[in-house]
Structure formats: structure tokens, C-alpha cells
Amino acid sequence: MKAVLKNIGILTSGGDAPGLNAAIRAICISAKENYGAKVIGFKNGYRGLIENNYVKMSDFDMEQLLSMGGTILGTSREKPFKAVEKNPVTGKMPVDSIKDTFKKNKLDVLFCLGGNGTNSTASLLAKEGLPVIGLPKTIDNDIYGTDVTFGFASAIDVAAEGINQIRTTAKSMSRAMVVEIMGHKVGWLGLYAGAAAGADIILLPEIPYDIKVIAKRVKELKASGKEYIIIAASEGALSVDEAKLDKKVFKKARAAMTESVAFRIAREIEEATGMETRTSVLGYTQRGALPNAQDIVLATKIGAAAVDFAARKEFGVLVAMKDNKITGFPLSEVEGRVKPIPLDEPVLVSQRALGVCFGD
């Protein structure tokens, strides 16, 4: 007997990322073709869920979504479980409004497409007894429980291309160039983009840097005849002295900074080596890219599989990729965690073997 799946809800929350629309498309087509289910999309993340603000997904041309960047549903960083006041639209506490939305729309399942914050909230909703399934989206590739997230591969392409374009200026002007790459808590994107573009130095949140070590490497490269240096720095890179600070003290110190860490690193390099050094921040181009083929395929696999998870009533899970296979990973174990780069990660090890400096 075929599983009954009638009403499906989708939302996208947190930062946008390549592949979101491909995942939405896969959910909608699979739901209709395999189960005859209707799908609605809540606008602007959990805010739309709280306010019951949705669109019928049947109104969209699914074929146009496949390679489209961003998210057609919009997004926000609304955190319903952190609210201390009633929602001005519903007049209720956010979680109560969410439960009303489920009842009004007779939802069999809600798919939450997002990163750590989104899936942590999804976990809390699951604990409230709501049928929720998470999908792993983020350019940071830092969601615990899955080997890879959609959005990551496309962001690598953009960041690596950015570094390579900056290389021409660095070479022409005989400069050291610090290229800042997204990644506050983890450095997966910085590592892979730096490796793909052949950076000389890669600085990551997982490996506190010593400016003396970096300066020494810059001088060695110059002495060997290299006229320019490329430094790929994650926005969350930190010094060995910062790594010793209490978390609250560190957070306060970072909040007081008037510019990003890459500018400080550039000044430190120039002061320590005398080499003219400049900074380039790649910024939101990494998130706003069109999805590449790898992310489209990944998002499509995960989206289609998510519908089957719902049909089997496998709720409270993240649709994860483990050892190149799709599996359900408990959202309760994803909640509040990130996935840092292990020091034995193959790309990291290979870069060290090539002489790349990590500042340690």
C-alpha cells in the first residue's frame, strides 16, 4: 500500500546558498509525481511559518528553478525559540503560532532547508512533537552529521576564481595579497578554495596563526625568487594570542574591531616583512553564485530523498550524506554543533605536504 502524503510545507532560512532552488524543485516534483501531495512554501524562513505567510508551489515554473541562485521563498534569521515577546502579527508566542500554522494547513511534514541555526530550530520543533525534516544547506560545509552540504561546491568555485583573479594583480605589482573568504567558525571553504587556487598561505579558524611564522614563510618565498604571495584567510581566522582568550572576551574584542581580520593580517605581514601587502574581501559573491552542476545534483538527490523520508514518517532527522550515501541523521545531534576541520583532513594534509603555511 502506497504511503499517504497530502500536505507538505517548505521553508528556507539563514543565509542564502547555491542549490536551494534545485532542492525546492526536487521536493515539489517528487511530492506531486510520487505521492500526489500539495506543497506550500513559507516566505522568509521561520517568520513566514509564524505568520502563516505562504505561497502555493504549484504557481511556480519548476524548470526555471533548477539552476537559479538564491531562494525563491526568501529567507531570514528569525529564531522563534529565542523570542521573549508575542509576535505582533499573530498576537501569540512564535512557537504557539507555528503549531497553529501546522494545524491550519494540515501539514504532514515541514522541510527546513538551512544551516546550523535552521536545523537547530528544526530540532527544537521536532521536540515539540511536530513532523519536521532538515536539509543541509550552507556554503560553509559545517553542519554536523553530514559529509557535505549543498552550496559548498559552488562557493569553492567562486572563491577560487576570485583568488586567481587577484593573483594577476599580486603578480603585476609584486605584492602580498590577503584574500578574505567566508567562514566565521570553520574554514572548510577557505581550505578548499585556497587549495584549488594554489594559495601560499592558508589561515583557518581551526589553526590559530603566529604572525612570526607567517612572516618567516613570506621571507622564505621571497628569498626563493617568488615576487608575490597569496594568503587565503577565513574571516574567522584568529591569532595564537586570541585563541587563549575566554570566549566572551574574544567575542567582545572582535565586535570592537573596525575592520575585518584580513586587514589586520595584511598590516602585520607588511610590518613584519616590509613587503607591500593589500587585502581583498570576496564577500557575498560566494553565497550569491549560481549553483554548479555538482550542487544541483546534490540538492536534487537530497530533496527527492527528503520526500521519501516524510512518506515513511522518518521525522526529526537531517537528510545527510555519509560515505556518499543518503541517510537520516538525528536533528537532536545536529543541534547547537558545528563540524570543524580535523587536523588529519586529506586536503589539509596534502597542502602541508606541498609546503603551504597555515601559520602554526
Side-chain angles (χ1 to χ4, degrees), residues 113-128:
L113 288 64
N116 292 298
T118 300
N119 283 291
S120 290
T121 297
S123 174
L124 294 173
L125 290 176
K127 291 177 181 177
E128 292 287 325

Side-chain angles (χ1 to χ4, degrees), residues 201-236:
I201 298 168
I202 300 176
L203 304 178
L204 309 170
E206 291 89 344
I207 305 174
Y209 73 83
D210 184 335
I211 193 61
K212 293 179 181 177
V213 173
I214 296 172
K216 180 182 177 182
R217 184 56 181 158
V218 169
K219 290 176 181 177
E220 288 174 349
L221 290 169
K222 287 182 66 179
S224 71
K226 187 156 191 184
E227 297 179 352
Y228 69 96
I229 311 293
I230 298 293
I231 302 100
S234 296
E235 60 187 333

